[in-house]
Amino acid sequence: MTSPPPDGSRDRRIEDPSNLWIIHPAGRALLPWAIARHISANLVSVLGFLLGAAAAAAYAQWHDWRFALVGLALSIGWLIADGLDGMVARATGTASAIGRVLDGVCDHGVFILIYVVIATSIGTGEGWAWALGAGGAHIVQSSLYEGERARFHRRVRGLAPVRKMAGGGNPIVQGYDWLATWIDRIAIPFDRLFTNPAIAPSVAAAYGDRAKWPMRLMIPLTANVRVYALFLACLVGDPRWFWWFELVPLFVITGIGIAWHRQVEATLLRQFAATVPAAAAPVFSVQPKDINQQ
């Protein structure tokens, strides 16, 4: 078994290969430069959004492979920034509720811009229908995947859900957190296992070994894979293939991955539940910003 990283970064067992070999190494190389210049994690998020917006502008000419290539390069720059902001937050201890929301808004905002630009360039009702359908699918799929990934990272550390980084009275933060954590409530019985310190390490180890498989299945739901799929669709001359990819294959992967993950929970719950006394339901919250970010 591969142990989760001790620095709070994401578990390599469920990571996209391009993150392991390109995106995250580039972010780590830029980290000392960003810290030396006192560049905040939130500023990195905004700079990443600007790179994504520039990628969207390039994709306005998607029918020209050279512009599509520029769009891909700028999108990779955005992915690097999206990983760097979490690294800066970890290194400087500046993770915040607002920063968590800003990161999510910037991530979704980049794809919204790309979808709008491509739909406008196609210029037909059919194109807008594809864009709206795929955009809705993207929001649902990404939200579900991020929830699954956050749970995985918490559980392999043997941690029960606890309240962290509360958004206070900020309705935007509260709304964002509710959307990100509503599915957690389904997992209350399994998460009670982590309230027993005597078995939590064993549960974490068994869970990591089994849950890594559905999480690996869901890797195509990452922003990285979407970026590459969009480029390939433009390269073959029809970005609607990318939207079809989101509407059909990614929805199938989402459904199978979530059902598989719940089956893993049910199996382990039967295995360990006899050792757990009745307990109050845990309080759920979003995981710290550095885990949820690229």
Side-chain angles (χ1 to χ4, degrees), residues 49-269:
F49 175 78
L50 294 177
L51 285 171
Y59 276 120
Q61 303 295 327
W62 55 266
H63 43 76
D64 186 328
W65 68 268
R66 291 167 296 186
F67 281 93
L69 188 60
V70 170
L72 174 65
L74 290 169
S75 296
I76 290 174
W78 159 57
L79 292 175
I80 292 171
D82 193 36
L84 178 60
D85 57 7
M87 295 177 190
V88 171
R90 273 198 302 278
T92 59
T94 55
S96 68
I98 292 296
R100 183 177 70 248
V101 175
L102 177 63
D103 178 61
V105 169
C106 287
D107 290 352
H108 289 300
V110 168
F111 278 106
I112 289 172
L113 285 175
I114 291 174
Y115 290 11
V116 169
V117 164
I118 292 178
T120 301
S121 70
I122 293 175
T124 65
E126 179 194 6
W128 281 103
W130 276 102
L132 291 172
H138 184 156
I139 291 172
V140 172
Q141 295 160 3
S142 294
S143 297
L144 292 172
Y145 173 65
E146 290 301 327
E148 296 297 300
R149 187 168 63 180
R151 276 186 292 280
F152 181 91
H153 282 113
R154 169 175 54 75
R155 289 167 171 175
V156 296
R157 290 171 172 81
L159 302 176
V162 294
R163 186 174 299 281
K164 294 182 180 180
M165 297 172 54
N170 189 317
I172 296 177
V173 174
Q174 290 175 345
Y176 182 88
D177 286 352
W178 184 89
L179 288 172
T181 61
W182 68 268
I183 200 172
D184 278 339
R185 290 155 181 80
I186 301 172
I188 285 177
F190 179 73
D191 275 315
R192 283 203 186 100
L193 297 175
F194 295 99
T195 65
N196 185 339
I199 66 167
S202 298
V203 175
Y207 169 82
D209 284 342
R210 297 193 185 190
K212 68 183 178 184
W213 300 112
M215 293 306 302
R216 286 178 180 176
L217 173 69
M218 297 175 76
I219 283 176
L221 300 173
T222 62
N224 301 45
V225 173
R226 295 176 195 270
V227 162
Y228 310 141
L230 172 63
F231 169 71
L232 291 175
C234 292
L235 203 61
V236 300
D238 193 344
R240 289 174 297 183
W241 281 109
F242 167 65
W243 290 330
W244 174 86
F245 174 66
E246 291 199 299
L247 285 166
V248 182
L250 290 191
F251 250 129
V252 172
I253 288 171
T254 301
I256 294 174
I258 290 175
W260 191 356
H261 205 167
R262 300 291 81 77
Q263 188 273 329
V264 168
E265 292 173 355
T267 299
L268 292 177
L269 184 59

Side-chain angles (χ1 to χ4, degrees), residues 11-36:
D11 195 298
R12 294 176 64 90
R13 291 175 293 179
I14 66 167
E15 197 55 84
D16 178 273
S18 64
N19 271 344
L20 291 176
W21 304 110
I22 300 173
I23 306 302
H24 289 171
R28 284 191 290 270
L30 290 170
L31 179 60
W33 179 88
I35 292 177

